[in-house]
Every structure is written in structure tokens, then in C-alpha cells.
């Protein structure tokens, strides 16, 4: 073969290789996703009805998440019950924020999973709903009297958009209150948790005088352990509660919001030296390592108190739980629930609905309550259930029955730009007194309105 | 050029050209087109002309991010690169342990940005941080600065996370210096030049093109810096450490404003091109160092 011909052949082969490589690069995601889709639609693609339908279920309830143990058990029980018919294939996405990021990407590429938690990011949820990417669950719930009977009316209302049920309504609630270290309280001579906001600060002063840092706070990420006290204060007024019920508020320049911001600014005088700039992990660690006497959080944190990898032996016994003054607690009921993607064949959608139905069965609800400290108003726990609970969970369970003001949670109600962008930037300034509470509210307003402006551009 | 030789040339540049077209050129075209649209990433983009760009002009956060980005670029050009060149010139004199210092200077370049961010979180931690600890140990027992989250120090603290990252500049400049004929230095020595005079009048002019390359690489990489800011200050407090790269991410992930974010991306792209043109001109990079 002539040299020239060899060169030509090599050139053609190399170009072909290049095209294949580039083609493979370009379609690598597609291939992977199609693989998942094939897997998930297995039942639909074959004519044999007996063949198992696999349902991809991405979740953040894995690893160190407080509900990881319950979720793993739930999957095992579902797969056992529906053996040969449906199978949940768990896709582990550790961390709620990472889960939201993943969902955003999947939404952008029109590859939403068969079943997913819609409510973690309110802004993303509203986009998915607006684009009709999820199915209406109302016919399925209406057809199942047992499922319907356990649902909470408030959640049904919240999840109903234009007459459609976009997310599976909640049948249980998780109340965030405040955990406190009884030993540190005793050390400072405080015998009971304060009942009024004035007493709350008096207790903080007493703790401080005794050399105990009163509360663990944070400014980074979504400001969780700081925003819970602030919004609890906000919920202590009628207008404040109304404001918290607003979906994606655009105007934070309200007197009650300013008061709540001023409350938080004052609270930062009673926190650890590293609170400004701290993320949740640092804040939680400050409480667990007994550097701070209180932390605002929900009952899922109890599992970390009992875990010797994260807390000292016997730490859980030192911890008490209280509602905020005025019997206020943050509820999770008014958020979007699990949604079922419309892009899958009927078989997969039905499998996804079976998962939600199974989750709402009384046995599963009780297991969830026992393991995660949640409360299901329409499925009371038996004494046998309570006997299985951790003592602190029993305390939480008992106290949350007295909640007078179940306040909606800012995390699910406010724009993502406010929660994830404005709060970590503005909280350090508020906490250090560089901006006034009025300025803080003004800046949150500007961020919230920026999104609206751009939408209308 | 003979036909066969031309075929070889085409053959060998083909993969690079294809990769460039598909990985850089096409995305850049998509970026520029979508910067003229309102697009939430999920639906079809809607053409809005220069709407996003006029929005940028009125956006205070963008202006602050632009100033921060340019300031960081200037720090890279006027502090980071000169420090790297200075270290390369010192190592060129081969003092004891110069090989070890050369290797050590590369360490910050091989540590992942996320790890560096965590390291600096601990260094700048107001309570148990190394920096405050040292200052307190020096006798300032009440010293308590929250470096990353005090508006006055946050920008400085962010820049301290990379400003001493000299490995690339040292490696490239030292390589060029070591490859220079020894006769230049010897001739200058015979003429009575001091080491400093040799560095300023012979070495630096001769490695001019390499220094220019370093400036382009460092400035453009600082323009793109993201992890160290996102994992520490998230652009705060306020807008003290917000940069264009971070703003692009935040507009996409928090606001779903893909079109607006791409307009910021175009500004960043033009900023990079401007840096390349200015540096090429300033360092006369199209001419040989020996001209």
C-alpha cells in the first residue's frame, strides 16, 4: 500500500475515532439516564405484566440524615411487600442542599425522577408545578379512603394548586422547637425553660453570668439555627404568623419583621464567638460539645444526640426539649409533599403512587413517628409504640401536643434567593451590628424582588 | 508545503480543532445567544435583546462583583505574579535547599480548592483559629477578628487564600531562567554587574514573554475562582466577596435566571479577552525576548 494511501486511511480512522469519542461524550449522560429510564420502565416496555417495575427514588434521607434509618427500613419493607411487582431503587444524594441542586439539574434537562420530594425548594417547586411536569394525585387519593382519612386538611389545601393535588399531602408533622442542656441550666441555677420572651432573655443573662454561652447560632448556609428563633419571635404576633403563611413574600419591610430581626440581633449577643460565619454543623457541634446551652431544631436531631460518633456518651440524657414562649413551634405541614413525575409510563406512575400510599399506611406512619419524633394527628400512637421511643422523643411527642401556634417554616415559604443567597450574606452584618434590622429587612426585600423583576423582563 | 505534509498537519490539528469547536466555541456561541434571552433553564428561551445587559448596569450587586473581580485580577497581576517571579529569581541563584523550596512552593497548587477553603476556615476561625491564636499569643489577649465575616477584612481574607499560591509562576519562570545560556550572566559579571542588576536588566527582560503568560494565566484563573469563596463566605458579608463567577452560579441556582447569568458570563469572557490583549501589548509578547 502506498504511503499516501496509508496516511489517508489513518486520517479517516482518526477522524472516525474522534467523532465516536465526541459523540460518546455528548451522549454519555443520555445513555446513563436512558439506562435508568429503561430500568424504571422495565415493566412498561415488556408485554409481560408480571415483570417487576423498578422505581428510581432519589433521597437525601441517607448517611448522617436523622431519618436515614427509618427510610432504609421503609424501602426494605416496601420492596418485601411488593416483591415481584415493584422495587424501589434508592439513589442516595446526601444533604438536602445537594438534593435540591440535583433536582434543579434534572428539571432543566427534563429528567425528573419518578417520585421525589417536591417541597424542599419552594421556588423550584413552583416552576415544576407551573410547567405541568407532575401528575395530579387527587384521583388516586379520592379513590383510596384509607389514604384520604389520614391526611391533614391544612396540607391538602397547601398542596392543591388550581384544583390539582401537586404533592402528596402530609399525614404527619414535625415540630421544631428548642433543645436545651439541662446540666448547663442547672449549673446556672435555671430550673425551668422560660415561658415568656422576656424570661427567655433573662435566662440568657443568667446563663451568661454563670459562664455558660446561652445559645448556638449560625449565619452561613440558610441560617437555620438562627432563623428558627427569629421566625418563632415573628410568629408571636398575629400579623407575623400571617406573614409566615405568605408564599414567597416580596416585601419584608414590615414592623413585625423588623422587630423579629432586632430580636435576632440581640440574640447574637448570647452566642458563641464563631457563630458569625458558622454553618449548621458548627452550630450543632457547639451544642453537642456543650459549648452552648440551647439550640433551635427539630426532633430529627435526637438521633445525633444518641449517636456516640457525634455526641459524648450519655449526652441525650442531659437534653430537654421545649416549645418557644407562647407555645410556638415550627411546623412542616404547609409545604409541598412528594410528587410523581408525569414523564413516565402509567406502570411507573402507579408504582410511584403505591410507594406514597404505602408510606401513608397507619403502620408506616406509626413507625415514622416512633423513629423520627413526628406527630400524626389522625394516627395516634399506642402505648406499645411509645415504649419503643427514645425518652427525649417521648418528651418531644408530649410537648408538641400542646402547640398553640404551629408556625410555617421560612425555609419552605421564602424564595430560594432569600434563603440561600440573602441570608448567608446579610445575617453576618445584622449579627455584628453593621446593619440595622430595618436595613436587613430592606435587603431581603431587594433580593426577593429581584427575582420577580427578572421573571417579568 | 507538500501535499502529504499538509495532510499530516491537518491530521494532527484535527482533534484539537474538533475539541475546541465542540467544547469551547459552540458553548461560547450558545452563551452569547442565550445572554440575549430570558430563560429559566427549563423552558424555551425568550428573546429580550439587550435587556439583560441593561439590567446589569442597574444591578448594584453586579457592580460590586465586577469591582471585586477586577481588584482580584489586579492583585494577581501586581502582587501574586511579581512574588512568584521574585522567588524564581532567588531560586535561580541556587541557594541551599532551592530544589526543596521549588517543590514546596508547588504544594498550594496541588491541594484541592475545597480542602484549601476548609483549611482557611480553621485558620481564620475567630474562636479557635490559628491566626487569632497567634495574635493573642503575642500579647493581644482581647484580639478577636472574624476574618471571613467582618466586612472590613473579608475581601482581604479571601485573597489571602490564594495570593501566596506561587507554584505555577515559580515553576515556569525558573524553568525559563535555568534554560538561559550561562554566558549572559558570566558576561555581565565580568562587566561588574551586581546580582540585582543582572536580574532587573538581563533576566527579567529575557523572560518577559513567560511573565506575560503567567499574568494571563493567573488573572484569568482568579477571574474564574469559585470554590474558595462559595465554601467560605458565599460572597458575603453583604457583597464584600461577591465575584462575577459566584454571581453567575447564584443567578442560576437560586434565581433560575440563566439568560441573566449568561450575560454576566459574557462580561467575564470579555474581561478575560481584554486582559489577554492588554498583557500581550504590555509585554510585547508577539516579539522574541531577544529582539
Amino acid at each position: 500500500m502506498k504511503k499516501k494511501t496509508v496516511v489517508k486511511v489513518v486520517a479517516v480512522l482518526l477522524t472516525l475515532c474522534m467523532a465516536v469519542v465526541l459523540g460518546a461524550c455528548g451522549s454519555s449522560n443520555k445513555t446513563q439516564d436512558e439506562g435508568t429510564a429503561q430500568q424504571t420502565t422495565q415493566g412498561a416496555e415488556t408485554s409481560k405484566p408480571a415483570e417487576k417495575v423498578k422505581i428510581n427514588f432519589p433521597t437525601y434521607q441517607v448517611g448522617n440524615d436523622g431519618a436515614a434509618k427509618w427510610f432504609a427500613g421503609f424501602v426494605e419493607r416496601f420492596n418485601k411487600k411488593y416483591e415481584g411487582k415493584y422495587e424501589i431503587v434508592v439513589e442516595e444524594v446526601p444533604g438536602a442542599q445537594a438534593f435540591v441542586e440535583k433536582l434543579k439539574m434534572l428539571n432543566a434537562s427534563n429528567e425528573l425522577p419518578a417520585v421525589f420530594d417536591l417541597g424542599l425548594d419552594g421556588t423550584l417547586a413552583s416552576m415544576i408545578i407551573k410547567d405541568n411536569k407532575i401528575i395530579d394525585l387527587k384521583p388516586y387519593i379520592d379513590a383510596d379512603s384509607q389514604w384520604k382519612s389520614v391526611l391533614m386538611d391544612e396540607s391538602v389545601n397547601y398542596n392543591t394548586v388550581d384544583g390539582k393535588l401537586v404533592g402528596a399531602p402530609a399525614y404527619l408533622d414535625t415540630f421544631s422547637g428548642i433543645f436545651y442542656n439541662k446540666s448547663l441550666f442547672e449549673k446556672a441555677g435555671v430550673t425551668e425553660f422560660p415561658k415568656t420572651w422576656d424570661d427567655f432573655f433573662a435566662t440568657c443573662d443568667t446563663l451568661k453570668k454563670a459562664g455558660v454561652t446561652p445559645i448556638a447560632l449560625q449565619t452561613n448556609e440558610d441560617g437555620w439555627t438562627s432563623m428558627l428563633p427569629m421566625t418563632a419571635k415573628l410568629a408571636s404576633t398575629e400579623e407575623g404568623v400571617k406573614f409566615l403563611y405568605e408564599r414567597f413574600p416580596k416585601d419584608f419591610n414590615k414592623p413585625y419583621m423588623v422587630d423579629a430581626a432586632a430580636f435576632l440581633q440581640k440574640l447574637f449577643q448570647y452566642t458563641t464567638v464563631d457563630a458569625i460565619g458558622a454553618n449548621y454543623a458548627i452550630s450543632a457541634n457547639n451544642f453537642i460539645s456543650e459549648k452552648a446551652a440551647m439550640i433551635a431544631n427539630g426532633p430529627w436531631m435526637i438521633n445525633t444526640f444518641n449517636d456516640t460518633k457525634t455526641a459524648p456518651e450519655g449526652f441525650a440524657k442531659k437534653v430537654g426539649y421545649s416549645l418557644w414562649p407562647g407555645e410556638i413551634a415550627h411546623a412542616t405541614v404547609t409545604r409541598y409533599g412528594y410528587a410523581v413525575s408525569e414523564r413516565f409510563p402509567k406502570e411507573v406512575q402507579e408504582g410511584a403512587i403505591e410507594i406514597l400510599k404505602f408510606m401513608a399506611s397507619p403502620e408506616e406512619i406509626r413507625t415514622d413517628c416512633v423513629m423520627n419524633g413526628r406527630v400524626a394527628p389522625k394516627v395516634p400512637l399506642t402505648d406499645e409504640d411509645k415504649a419503643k421511643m427514645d425518652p427525649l422523643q417521648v418528651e418531644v411527642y408530649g410537648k408538641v401536643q400542646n402547640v398553640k401556634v404551629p408556625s410555617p417554616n421560612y425555609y419552605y415559604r421564602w424564595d430560594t434567593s432569600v434563603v440561600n443567597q440573602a441570608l448567608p450574606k446579610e445575617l453576618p452584618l445584622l449579627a455584628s451590628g453593621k446593619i440595622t434590622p430595618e436595613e436587613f429587612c430592606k435587603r431581603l426585600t431587594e433580593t426577593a424582588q429581584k427575582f420577580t423583576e427578572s421573571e417579568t423582563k | 508545503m507538500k501535499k502529504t505534509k499538509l495532510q499530516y498537519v491537518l491530521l494532527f490539528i484535527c482533534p484539537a480543532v474538533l475539541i475546541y469547536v465542540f467544547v469551547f466555541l459552540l458553548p461560547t456561541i450558545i452563551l452569547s445567544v442565550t445572554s440575549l434571552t430570558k430563560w429559566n433553564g427549563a423552558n424555551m428561551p425568550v428573546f429580550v435583546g439587550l435587556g439583560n445587559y441593561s439590567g446589569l448596569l442597574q444591578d448594584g450587586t453586579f457592580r460590586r462583583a465586577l469591582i471585586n473581580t477586577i481588584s482580584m485580577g489586579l492583585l494577581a497581576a501586581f502582587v501574586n505574579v511579581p512574588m512568584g517571579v521574585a522567588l524564581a529569581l532567588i531560586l535561580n541563584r541556587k541557594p541551599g535547599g532551592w530544589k526543596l523550596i521549588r517543590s514546596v512552593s508547588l504544594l498550594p497548587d496541588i491541594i484541592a480548592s475545597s480542602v484549601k477553603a476548609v483549611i482557611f476556615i480553621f485558620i481564620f476561625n475567630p474562636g479557635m483559629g490559628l491566626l487569632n491564636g497567634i495574635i493573642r499569643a503575642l500579647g493581644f489577649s482581647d484580639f478577636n477578628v472574624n476574618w471571613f465575616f467582618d466586612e472590613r477584612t473579608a475581601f482581604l481574607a479571601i485573597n489571602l487564600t490564594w495570593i501566596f499560591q506561587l507554584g505555577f509562576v515559580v515553576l515556569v519562570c525558573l524553568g525559563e531562567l535555568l534554560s538561559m545560556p550561562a554566558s549572559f550572566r558570566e558576561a555581565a559579571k565580568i562587566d561588574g554587574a551586581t546580582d540585582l542588576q543582572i536580574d532587573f536588566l538581563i533576566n527579567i527582560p529575557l523572560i518577559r514573554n513567560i511573565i506575560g503568560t503567567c499574568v494571563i494565566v493567573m488573572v484569568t484563573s482568579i477571574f474564574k475562582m469559585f470554590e474558595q469563596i462559595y465554601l467560605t463566605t458565599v460572597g458575603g458579608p453583604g457583597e464584600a466577596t461577591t465575584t462575577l463567577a459566584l454571581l453567575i452560579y447564584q443567578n442560576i441556582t437560586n434565581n433560575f435566571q440563566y439568560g441573566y447569568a449568561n450575560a454576566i458570563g459574557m462580561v467575564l469572557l470579555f474581561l478575560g479577552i481584554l486582559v489577554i490583549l492588554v498583557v500581550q501589548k504590555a509585554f510585547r509578547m508577539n516579539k522574541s525576548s531577544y529582539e
Side-chain angles (χ1 to χ4, degrees):
Chain A
M1 204 184 283
K2 283 179 182 175
K3 197 178 162 187
K4 209 172 169 182
T5 320
V6 173
V7 170
K8 277 182 184 169
V9 171
V10 172
V12 170
L13 282 175
L14 272 173
T15 312
L16 277 173
C17 284
M18 194 66 216
V20 170
V21 169
L22 281 172
C25 286
S27 64
S28 63
N29 282 336
K30 204 178 168 194
T31 313
Q32 199 186 349
D33 294 339
E34 273 171 1
T36 314
Q38 268 176 7
Q39 205 180 20
T40 55
T41 58
Q42 233 171 0
E45 282 169 9
T46 60
S47 55
K48 295 171 196 167
E51 212 162 308
K52 186 164 62 179
V53 176
K54 290 188 177 182
I55 301 143
N56 181 30
F57 194 155
T59 181
Y60 52 91
Q61 292 175 321
V62 292
N64 291 331
D65 188 273
K69 208 171 160 188
W70 161 77
F71 187 79
F74 162 77
V75 171
E76 206 181 305
R77 291 188 292 277
F78 178 87
N79 286 345
K80 198 175 169 189
K81 186 182 174 187
Y82 290 93
E83 201 171 1
K85 195 175 180 191
Y86 299 118
E87 185 188 341
I88 295 176
V89 180
V90 176
E91 189 184 345
E92 298 194 358
V93 189
Q97 194 55 39
F99 177 82
V100 170
E101 299 300 327
K102 186 175 176 73
L103 217 52
K104 281 174 184 171
M105 276 197 302
L106 293 174
N107 179 47
S109 54
N110 279 322
E111 286 169 346
L112 284 172
V115 58
F116 59 96
D117 187 349
L118 178 66
L120 268 188
D121 185 298
T123 315
L124 175 66
S126 61
M127 277 176 66
I128 293 172
I129 295 164
K130 202 171 145 195
D131 295 341
N132 287 319
K133 288 182 176 176
I134 44 182
I135 66 167
D136 178 14
L137 298 174
K138 196 170 188 303
Y140 298 95
I141 291 175
D142 284 345
D144 191 313
S145 56
Q146 188 279 317
W147 191 358
K148 204 174 176 180
S149 69
V150 296
L151 301 178
M152 294 163 77
D153 297 339
E154 204 179 355
S155 182
V156 173
N157 290 339
Y158 190 86
N159 280 277
T160 304
V161 178
D162 298 331
K164 291 178 188 170
L165 265 177
V166 293
Y171 37 80
L172 43 76
D173 209 341
T174 313
F175 290 102
S176 300
I178 185 155
F179 291 104
Y180 61 98
N181 186 318
K182 289 182 280 190
S183 300
L184 293 178
F185 266 50
E186 270 171 38
K187 187 184 158 192
V190 182
T191 49
E192 62 167 2
F193 197 86
K195 299 273 186 254
T196 65
W197 290 107
D198 287 341
D199 287 349
F200 181 78
F201 276 121
T203 304
C204 287
D205 283 326
T206 312
L207 286 164
K208 210 174 170 182
K209 270 180 203 156
V212 175
T213 305
I215 189 164
L217 298 173
Q218 68 178 93
T219 62
N220 217 334
E221 296 167 345
D222 45 41
W224 181 253
T225 56
S226 301
M227 290 306 291
L228 288 180
M230 184 184 132
T231 47
K233 182 72 174 71
L234 188 60
S236 63
T237 62
E238 214 172 291
E239 300 99 319
V241 177
K242 256 187 213 165
F243 180 73
L244 282 166
Y245 268 102
E246 269 182 46
R247 287 188 207 206
F248 312 121
K250 299 295 175 195
D251 185 6
F252 292 80
N253 296 316
K254 312 278 185 191
Y256 36 87
M257 185 65 199
V258 172
D259 284 347
F263 164 84
L264 182 60
Q265 195 171 43
K266 187 178 174 189
L267 199 57
F268 266 96
Q269 294 168 13
Y270 298 97
T271 190
T272 53
V273 70
D274 58 359
I276 300 177
N279 55 17
Y280 170 75
I282 293 173
S283 182
N285 190 48
N286 281 337
F287 179 71
I288 291 169
S289 57
E290 304 191 55
K291 285 181 189 161
M294 294 182 275
I295 190 167
N297 211 346
W300 54 84
M301 202 185 188
I302 295 171
N303 292 335
T304 18
F305 300 154
N306 285 309
D307 187 349
T308 47
K309 277 182 274 176
T310 50
E313 191 85 41
F315 178 72
K317 285 179 189 161
K318 293 182 183 175
V319 181
Y321 174 86
S322 174
L323 304 177
W324 292 101
E327 312 298 341
I328 295 165
H330 293 94
T332 54
V333 64
T334 49
R335 57 163 290 197
Y336 295 115
Y338 280 101
V340 175
S341 176
E342 61 82 36
R343 76 182 183 96
F344 287 93
K346 199 84 181 149
E347 290 83 354
V348 179
Q349 290 182 4
E350 281 168 0
I353 284 159
E354 279 306 319
I355 294 174
L356 301 181
K357 219 185 266 186
F358 182 72
M359 228 181 230
S361 63
E363 300 76 33
E364 283 304 316
I365 292 175
R366 286 209 300 273
T367 309
D368 195 342
C369 291
V370 167
M371 293 184 77
N372 299 320
R374 290 166 177 157
V375 181
K378 296 185 181 175
V379 185
L381 291 185
T382 60
D383 288 341
E384 200 183 324
D385 291 327
K386 285 179 191 166
K388 290 181 207 162
M389 287 169 91
D390 178 275
L392 186 54
Q393 270 172 341
V394 176
E395 185 185 338
V396 173
Y397 189 80
K399 286 194 174 155
V400 297
Q401 308 295 329
N402 306 322
V403 173
K404 282 186 189 150
V405 186
S407 150
N409 199 309
Y410 80 98
Y411 184 85
Y412 306 115
R413 294 267 179 175
W414 295 357
D415 277 311
T416 313
S417 54
V418 174
V419 175
N420 291 326
Q421 193 173 318
L423 289 180
K425 284 182 177 183
E426 307 305 341
L427 278 176
L429 296 176
L430 177 77
S432 56
K434 296 276 159 52
I435 56 171
T436 60
E438 288 83 1
E439 180 67 13
F440 176 73
C441 295
K442 194 179 150 209
R443 291 185 184 197
L444 296 192
T445 305
E446 279 167 8
T447 307
Q449 288 182 354
K450 204 179 265 183
F451 182 49
T452 321
E453 278 167 21
S454 117
E455 275 184 319
T456 54
K457 254 177 206 169
Chain B
M1 201 186 285
K2 282 183 185 174
K3 202 180 170 188
T4 318
K5 204 174 173 184
L6 179 69
Q7 280 171 336
Y8 272 119
V9 170
L10 289 174
L11 181 70
F12 284 109
I13 64 166
C14 189
V17 169
L18 283 175
I19 288 173
Y20 181 80
V21 168
F22 285 103
V23 180
F24 297 107
L25 195 61
L26 272 179
T28 307
I29 293 168
I30 293 169
L31 178 84
S32 59
V33 172
T34 53
S35 74
L36 304 171
T37 65
K38 181 195 160 197
W39 183 30
N40 69 5
N43 296 334
M44 284 299 289
V46 179
F47 184 73
V48 291
L50 294 174
N52 288 329
Y53 291 93
S54 63
L56 288 180
L57 294 176
Q58 295 151 24
D59 187 344
T61 308
F62 168 76
R63 281 198 298 274
R64 183 67 193 265
L66 184 66
I67 292 168
N68 286 346
T69 307
I70 293 171
S71 306
M72 287 168 77
L74 291 173
L75 282 173
F78 293 103
V79 180
N80 176 269
V81 175
M83 277 197 297
V85 173
L87 185 59
L89 290 168
I90 293 166
L91 296 183
N92 186 42
R93 292 174 198 168
K94 298 182 183 167
W98 71 277
K99 283 183 185 169
L100 178 73
I101 297 168
R102 182 179 60 179
S103 305
V104 169
S105 71
L106 273 171
L107 277 179
D109 291 74
I110 54 172
I111 297 173
S113 299
S114 52
V115 177
K116 266 186 276 186
V118 174
I119 291 171
F120 277 97
I121 284 172
F122 284 105
I123 291 175
F124 291 137
N125 185 292
M128 56 173 185
L130 182 72
L131 188 57
N132 279 1
I134 291 171
I135 295 170
R136 283 180 205 134
L138 290 172
F140 303 93
S141 54
D142 291 336
F143 189 84
N144 184 24
V145 171
N146 196 340
W147 294 93
F148 272 138
F149 296 95
D150 187 319
E151 229 180 352
R152 294 163 301 179
T153 55
F155 189 70
L156 170 74
I158 278 293
N159 285 302
L160 285 174
T161 65
W162 64 269
I163 203 93
F164 298 109
Q165 200 169 306
L166 308 175
F168 172 77
V169 180
V170 171
L171 199 71
V172 173
C173 291
L174 189 59
E176 185 74 359
L177 287 166
L178 291 173
S179 68
M180 273 166 45
S183 54
F184 291 178
R185 183 181 174 82
E186 285 158 10
K189 276 276 180 199
I190 291 165
D191 287 342
T194 62
D195 282 342
L196 209 61
Q197 283 172 323
I198 292 170
D199 283 341
F200 276 97
L201 301 173
I202 298 173
N203 289 340
I204 291 177
L206 285 180
I207 62 166
R208 188 188 74 226
N209 279 339
I210 290 297
I211 297 172
T213 307
C214 288
V215 172
I216 290 173
V217 171
M218 288 312 295
V219 173
T220 51
S221 68
I222 289 307
F223 280 175
K224 294 180 291 185
M225 194 172 86
F226 173 78
E227 298 99 316
Q228 273 147 273
I229 302 175
Y230 183 73
L231 294 172
T232 52
T233 63
V234 206
E239 313 291 358
T241 58
T242 301
T243 60
L244 293 181
L246 188 77
L247 206 55
I248 292 171
Y249 175 80
Q250 288 178 332
N251 272 291
I252 288 175
T253 57
N254 297 332
N255 302 342
F256 303 93
Q257 298 171 331
Y258 283 70
Y260 195 69
N262 287 352
I264 302 171
M266 284 304 291
V267 173
L268 197 55
L269 183 71
F270 280 115
L271 214 55
I273 292 170
L274 188 69
V275 167
I276 293 169
L277 293 176
V278 169
V279 172
Q280 276 183 339
K281 186 87 182 157
F283 285 81
R284 289 180 286 128
M285 287 175 74
N286 50 354
K287 287 181 183 169
S288 162
S289 298
Y290 296 90
E291 277 179 38

